[in-house]
Amino acid sequence: MLKVWGRKTSSNVQAVMWCIAELGLPCERVDIGHKYGGNDTAEFLAMNPNGTVPVIRDGEGEPLWETGAILRYLANRYADRTFWPADIAQRAAVDKWAEWAKINVAHSFTAPLFWRVVRTAEKDRDYPAIAAALSVLNSKLAIAEAQLNQHAYLAGNELTLADIQFGHLLFRYFDIELARTPFPAVEAYYQRLQLRPAFVEHVMVSYEDLRVT
């Protein structure tokens, strides 16, 4: 049995929970962080000295933290070969896009845009900074657009770990108030993800608790 520490409104927790659900694994999740607190306790810091979520524990194994490491662990241990290929070169191709999504898209969206739009009161928003950040994000989404014009999913024609790292950001991207540039292939991809019950349950989660007014 997997145990996950982290609130369901954390985008990183959402990525892990979506992955777990896609793999059909039993799981218990404990609300930690933000309004729930608990991530500064000695018990939690003994598992993750950073005090961040998510943290997982698989049975009696050591606690794991850092979303990318958690996702690769789950894929290595539990995924089929379409989700996480056995061939090293094919796996690296999936991992390349997973890392790209985490380093480029997540870092260009979460703090620069989501935090400035949702977690900042309207009177305090820096609209020039938001516009500049959106321009950076658009340059990354253009790369995804080109890739998704070739394949149904980010790393090919099957859902892989790369889609977890990229796709879990799209609910918020398409939901918050932004002057979005049209990316038809990304939009069609997002529509396909919404057909997946695990995506709907674990990613399309209200973030109103995070909103600052």
Side-chain angles (χ1 to χ4, degrees):
M1 170 71 77
L2 289 166
K3 187 169 183 177
V4 179
W5 287 264
R7 56 185 168 83
K8 66 181 181 180
T9 54
S10 159
S11 61
N12 285 327
V13 173
Q14 289 170 3
V16 168
M17 292 300 298
W18 178 23
C19 182
I20 288 170
E22 290 286 357
L23 298 180
L25 304 174
C27 171
E28 174 193 0
R29 185 183 59 79
V30 178
D31 282 317
I32 290 285
H34 194 55
K35 70 177 184 179
Y36 300 101
N39 53 317
D40 58 354
T41 65
E43 180 182 12
F44 187 83
L45 292 171
M47 293 192 297
N48 180 3
N50 301 289
T52 56
V53 296
V55 173
I56 76 161
R57 192 172 188 188
D58 189 359
E60 298 302 314
E62 289 293 314
L64 296 174
W65 38 271
E66 293 298 338
T67 304
I70 292 171
L71 292 174
R72 282 190 290 272
Y73 167 81
L74 294 171
N76 276 306
R77 183 158 190 182
Y78 296 111
D80 64 28
R81 297 304 94 183
T82 58
F83 188 84
W84 192 238
D87 178 82
I88 295 299
Q90 293 176 359
R91 182 183 298 181
V94 171
D95 203 19
K96 170 185 69 178
W97 284 105
E99 281 294 292
W100 171 83
K102 181 182 72 173
I103 293 170
N104 293 279
V105 183
H107 287 185
S108 298
F109 174 72
T110 302
L113 286 168
F114 183 76
W115 283 47
R116 284 181 170 138
V117 172
V118 174
R119 302 188 71 168
T120 303
E122 185 173 2
K123 64 181 179 62
D124 297 325
R125 289 178 193 161
D126 185 341
Y127 287 100
I130 290 171
L134 187 56
S135 178
V136 172
L137 179 64
N138 283 340
S139 70
K140 308 306 178 185
L141 292 179
I143 295 171
E145 179 76 6
Q147 181 72 355
L148 290 167
N149 270 314
Q150 301 177 60
H151 308 288
Y153 292 96
L154 192 60
N157 287 317
E158 301 287 344
L159 185 87
T160 69
L161 190 70
D163 298 293
I164 303 295
Q165 288 280 38
F166 177 59
H168 82 277
L169 301 163
L170 294 183
F171 167 64
R172 292 181 175 183
Y173 167 74
F174 282 109
D175 198 63
I176 66 175
E177 298 175 8
L178 283 178
R180 282 177 289 275
T181 297
F183 290 108
V186 174
E187 292 169 22
Y189 168 77
Y190 176 55
Q191 294 297 321
R192 286 193 292 277
L193 292 183
Q194 291 179 78
L195 300 176
R196 308 188 74 90
F199 180 85
V200 174
E201 180 179 358
H202 295 291
V203 177
M204 300 183 72
V205 173
S206 172
Y207 49 80
E208 286 306 304
D209 282 355
L210 306 178
R211 189 180 296 279
V212 175
T213 56

